Structure formats: structure tokens, C-alpha cells
Amino acid sequence: MINYSIAMRGVNSNLFEINQAKKRINEAKAKGEVPKQADLDLVATEVQKAFAVAQYAEVMDIEKFAKHISTHGCVYSRADIGAILYMAVDCMREQLLEGRKIRLGDLGDFSVTINSIGAASADKFTAQNIIGVNVVWDPGKDFKTLFNDAEFNLVASRSVQAAVLKALKANQGVVDITSPDNTPDGGGDSTGETPDDTGTDSGSGSGGSSSSGSDSNGGEDGGGYYE
């Protein structure tokens, strides 16, 4: 069962400019000033749509995962399985640094991509232009078809759950889930990227890998709200 919450996100093509206007509005209010009308008018043009955001039920570390594997009729103990998993992690890192692609059957392929700063020409490019290495997971067929077997369950986002818990501890009878601190996810990616109409969750709260190695928002802590 895959849990998901619903978040409103801006889909405007000029979302970056809208988020910058929201930032200026917040800064003006913090100083006790009146926000510029142009910024207010720009923010008023924002169009939002509802998107699904995956919400993981718990985080399974290697110890928990090893224990789970041992309950599936495995002849190895939890300690043995855990040791193998730890060794697999170490060896995978070692082999990726050796420039190898690791193919693990239905689990898929693991390889690396490189981030670099552009040089004026090929002869001026050196290893100093390389600024990062990303690990890429290309899922095997059993993971690429998860949707076919998935069942979905609507839940409150973690930020809303935290707000409710906080209110209960403070003996408050009303919780404002529309405030900036409690609004689930975000009303517009702070990077200015615009979600497409398919509602693809490019960065759910559970994290994940990106085949392009680029960073993307879209989890619990999206920005773009103002009071």
C-alpha cells in the first residue's frame, strides 16, 4: 500500500518570478512595509493544481531490512544477511569509483554521471572542471512496473500530522493547516520549475534517484507561501 497526500502546486510558466514576488512580499511584511502592488498582482496570477505526493510509512535501515528478509524462509540469519548487505554497499561504492557499471539482475543497473563546469574549448577542459559525481539507478523490469501492482491510500501529509500532534499537546482544539508552517508540500517549487499536468512527483518526501543527476524539490518542505 503506497500512501500519498495531496498538495497544491503552481503550474505557471513564470513560476520563478512568482516565487520571487512572494519572497519580496514576505520581506516587506517582515519590515512592516506595504508590499508592492506589482508583486501582489503577479502572485494573484498563479494557477495551482492538485498533485499526489508519496508519503513513506517508515524508514527501513539495513538492520530492519535484513530482519525482513530473514522472515521469508531464508536459511541465513539476520546477522548474516545484514553483513552481506553492508559488504554489498561497500563493494558497490568501490566498483563505481573504479568506473564500472553494476548490473544486479531485476534490481537494475547502478552507474555514475558527472557534473562539470563548462570550459571555453575541449583543450581547456581539465579534471578541475568536474564538480560532482551522481549515482544513477536504472531500475530493472520488476521495479519499472510497480504501478501495475500498486495500491494507493490517501493520508495527511507529514507536516499536517505534525501540526495536529503539536495542537494536541498544546490542548488546542483547532489546527490551521493552511499556515506557511503547516501547509503540505508547497504551492510552487522554489527552484522555479513547473510541474507538468501529469502530476509527476519528481521529488517525493521519500527521496530517490534521478537519472539526470539533477536536484529537484517536491517533498514535504516546498516553499512559495505567504501570509
Side-chain angles (χ1 to χ4, degrees), residues 31-79:
K31 296 177 181 178
E33 301 174 354
V34 178
K36 293 181 179 180
Q37 188 60 44
D39 286 338
L40 295 173
D41 292 340
L42 180 57
V43 170
T45 65
E46 182 179 12
V47 177
Q48 294 191 351
K49 292 186 178 181
F51 294 92
V53 180
Q55 302 286 342
Y56 50 76
E58 68 170 307
V59 177
M60 291 190 74
D61 57 18
I62 287 183
E63 296 296 333
K64 288 184 178 180
F65 193 50
K67 182 178 181 180
H68 175 77
I69 293 175
S70 68
T71 64
H72 281 253
C74 183
V75 297
Y76 298 102
S77 68
R78 179 182 64 179

Side-chain angles (χ1 to χ4, degrees), residues 65-123:
F65 193 50
K67 182 178 181 180
H68 175 77
I69 293 175
S70 68
T71 64
H72 281 253
C74 183
V75 297
Y76 298 102
S77 68
R78 179 182 64 179
D80 292 333
I81 297 170
I84 293 172
L85 290 174
Y86 278 114
M87 187 178 298
V89 171
D90 292 341
C91 290
M92 182 178 293
R93 185 179 189 277
E94 173 190 347
Q95 295 304 308
L96 289 175
L97 287 172
E98 290 291 330
R100 295 184 174 89
K101 174 184 282 190
I102 301 171
R103 181 161 292 164
L104 298 179
D106 290 340
L107 182 58
D109 296 350
F110 292 83
S111 58
V112 298
T113 59
I114 295 174
N115 290 343
S116 61
I117 300 174
S121 60
D123 62 314

Side-chain angles (χ1 to χ4, degrees), residues 93-217:
R93 185 179 189 277
E94 173 190 347
Q95 295 304 308
L96 289 175
L97 287 172
E98 290 291 330
R100 295 184 174 89
K101 174 184 282 190
I102 301 171
R103 181 161 292 164
L104 298 179
D106 290 340
L107 182 58
D109 296 350
F110 292 83
S111 58
V112 298
T113 59
I114 295 174
N115 290 343
S116 61
I117 300 174
S121 60
D123 62 314
K124 293 184 178 180
F125 188 95
T126 69
Q128 300 302 315
N129 289 77
I130 298 175
I131 59 174
V133 175
N134 306 298
V135 178
V136 179
W137 172 42
D138 183 18
K141 64 178 182 179
D142 284 351
F143 289 90
K144 289 182 178 178
T145 57
L146 284 180
F147 179 75
N148 296 336
D149 300 317
E151 296 182 8
F152 301 97
N153 179 46
L154 178 61
V155 299
S157 67
R158 289 187 294 280
S159 58
V160 171
Q161 294 176 33
V164 172
L165 180 60
K166 182 179 179 181
L168 289 173
K169 291 182 177 180
N171 293 321
Q172 296 176 346
V174 178
V175 180
D176 180 11
I177 63 172
T178 63
S179 67
D181 291 338
N182 299 333
T183 305
D185 305 290
D189 195 325
S190 60
T191 64
E193 297 177 358
T194 305
D196 58 35
D197 285 350
T198 61
T200 301
D201 176 21
S202 61
S204 63
S206 59
S209 64
S210 170
S211 59
S212 65
S214 61
D215 188 17
S216 59
N217 290 339

